[in-house]
Structures are given as C-alpha cells and as structure tokens.
Amino acid sequence: HDELRALWLPRKHVEVWLETSSFARIVTGSLVRCVQKLNGQRTFFVALVQAVKRMNQPYRLGKKVIEVALQVRTSTGVRFAGIDLLSNESPSDAEISRFKVQLEPEDVRAKIRTLQTAMQHSAALFEEEDLRRKEQEEERLRERQEAAREQEARESEEQERKEREREELRRRQAERTADSEQWWLKYQTKGGNKQHEIAKWKARLARFEKIVNSSTAEGEKANAKRLAEQAQAKVEALLAQEQIQEDD
C-alpha cells in the first residue's frame, strides 16, 4: 500500500498543478480519491488517472469555473470525475484494498520519481498555495469565532429578558396576594396563639404553592415544593393538636 499511497494526489495539489502547463503530465498515472453518493450516502473510491478531458458543461471549482475533468479507471471500469469530486484526505487501507487495477511495478516507481521531482522543482508553488490556504483558514476561524460571540451575546440577552419577565411576574403575583397571605394577622388579637400559628402556616403554604405553580426555574420550584410539603405537614399537625384540645 505504501507505493500506491505515494502515487496519490490530494485535491489541493491537483488544483495547484491545474494552473501550470504540466498539469496533464503530472496527474496522468497518479491516483486520486473520489467521492460518490450511493443510496444517499457519501462513499469514496480510489482511481487511476488515465487522461485529462474537456467537459461539455463547465462546472464551478471554488471561485473558478473550469471545463477540465479527469478520465479515471477503477476496478469497475472507466469514468469521468470532476476535480471538485476529489478528496484531500488520504485513502484508507480498505479503499486501497478495493482498488484492483493492475499496475506495473516499474511504471509505479517511475511515476513516484516523476511526482517527487516535480514537487521539488515547483516547491514555491506549494508554499504560496499553503500560505493562501492558511490565510483562508484563519479568516474562516475568525468568522466562526465572531459568529459564536454574536450567538453567545444573543443567548445572554435572551436569558436576561426571560429572567426580567420572571421577576416581574413574581412581583405582580406578590402584590396581588400580599393581602391574602397576611389574613392570619386577624387572629393576633383573638382566638389565641394556636389559631395564630395555624393561620401563619397556612399563609406560608399558600405562598409556597403559588411559587410551585408559577415558577419556571427548576431549582426554585423544587425548593418551594419541599417547603410547601413541610408547611402542609405543620398545618396538619397543628390542626390535630387543636382537635385534641377541643375534645378534652
């Protein structure tokens, strides 16, 4: 597999050679990794470039429109592949294993030497291309970071708005129920301490139940539910004590 991998050209290298007069000579005899869709799923295959052909219909390659396609051979026959279908990722061992095209060892080694020599002589082209790609990647990174900051700001603003709405709702509910929550005060001057205590716990129970029914904050809701259960138990205990005293 090592020699076959040495024959492989990534898409970014093919795009660099496309701008040179050596394009056809360099890519012919090399291997490429192509993408195809089968039953809606993306799959990849390795193919041998046999020739460079001109397409009847131009197609877009990045910001350029080109008419060049590759005539490639696979285990199942000959087909045409646009450069936009090539992959930058190295073929997997399984993909290379499925490549059953018979190649002469001498031809393979000669092509590897040709590719190595061409890369050495044209190193400046690839340095320039790598620099351009790095600038593009940095620009995309800046755009993603800016988009993430904007999204974070929108989410923070939305969270603050919801919290303000919840706080306003709690304030209005507190104003509407302030009088009813204090109805137990009438027992301060009559009915004795027992009635006063029962009224106080009933008021607490009512307050906690309102929070349980109105709050959207899970923590606040759970805490209010626990306190409501405690208040309910206290009210029941006081009523039971009062009943015992009345029976006596």
Side-chain angles (χ1 to χ4, degrees), residues 32-208:
V32 289
R33 181 176 185 251
C34 305
V35 64
Q36 63 181 351
K37 276 194 174 183
L38 294 177
N39 299 323
Q41 299 292 323
R42 282 163 50 94
T43 61
F44 294 88
F45 63 90
V46 175
L48 173 70
V49 180
Q50 291 187 316
V52 175
K53 300 292 184 179
R54 184 174 298 278
M55 299 288 287
N56 293 330
Q57 294 293 332
Y59 61 95
R60 184 170 295 279
L61 181 66
K63 296 182 179 180
K64 297 178 292 186
V65 176
I66 64 173
E67 299 177 343
V68 175
L70 304 179
Q71 177 181 309
V72 300
R73 184 180 177 188
T74 68
S75 304
T76 58
V78 176
R79 65 176 71 181
F80 291 95
I83 297 174
D84 58 333
L85 298 180
L86 305 187
S87 171
N88 277 318
E89 295 185 13
S90 176
S92 66
D93 290 339
E95 291 165 355
I96 293 180
S97 296
R98 290 196 296 269
F99 177 71
K100 302 297 184 181
V101 178
Q102 187 66 38
L103 300 177
E104 293 296 330
E106 284 300 323
D107 293 340
V108 171
R109 286 190 282 271
K111 185 60 181 179
I112 291 174
R113 289 194 295 270
T114 298
L115 291 175
Q116 291 173 340
T117 301
M119 288 289 290
Q120 291 171 358
H121 289 170
S122 304
L125 290 177
F126 292 92
E127 291 174 0
E128 181 180 347
E129 177 65 14
D130 288 342
L131 179 60
R132 183 182 66 82
R133 289 183 180 276
K134 184 177 180 180
E135 291 175 349
Q136 290 178 342
E137 290 172 359
E138 290 175 349
E139 179 61 25
R140 285 194 292 269
L141 177 59
R142 285 193 295 270
E143 291 175 354
R144 288 196 299 270
Q145 290 175 336
E146 181 63 26
R149 284 193 294 268
E150 292 177 356
Q151 179 65 21
E152 183 179 354
R154 286 193 297 269
E155 291 176 353
S156 177
E157 182 178 347
E158 179 66 11
Q159 184 66 26
E160 291 178 0
R161 184 188 64 79
K162 290 181 178 179
E163 183 58 33
R164 288 194 300 269
E165 289 179 352
R166 287 194 294 267
E167 184 62 31
E168 179 65 15
L169 178 60
R170 287 193 291 266
R171 184 187 65 79
R172 291 180 180 179
Q173 289 177 335
E175 290 177 352
R176 287 196 300 266
T177 59
D179 293 338
S180 62
E181 289 181 353
Q182 299 298 321
W183 61 269
W184 53 269
L185 289 175
K186 66 183 180 180
Y187 291 102
Q188 286 184 315
T189 58
K190 60 180 179 177
N193 290 333
K194 185 64 65 178
Q195 291 291 335
H196 174 265
E197 187 72 7
I198 292 172
K200 180 178 68 175
W201 279 101
K202 283 185 176 181
R204 290 183 181 178
L205 175 60
R207 183 169 66 255
F208 295 140

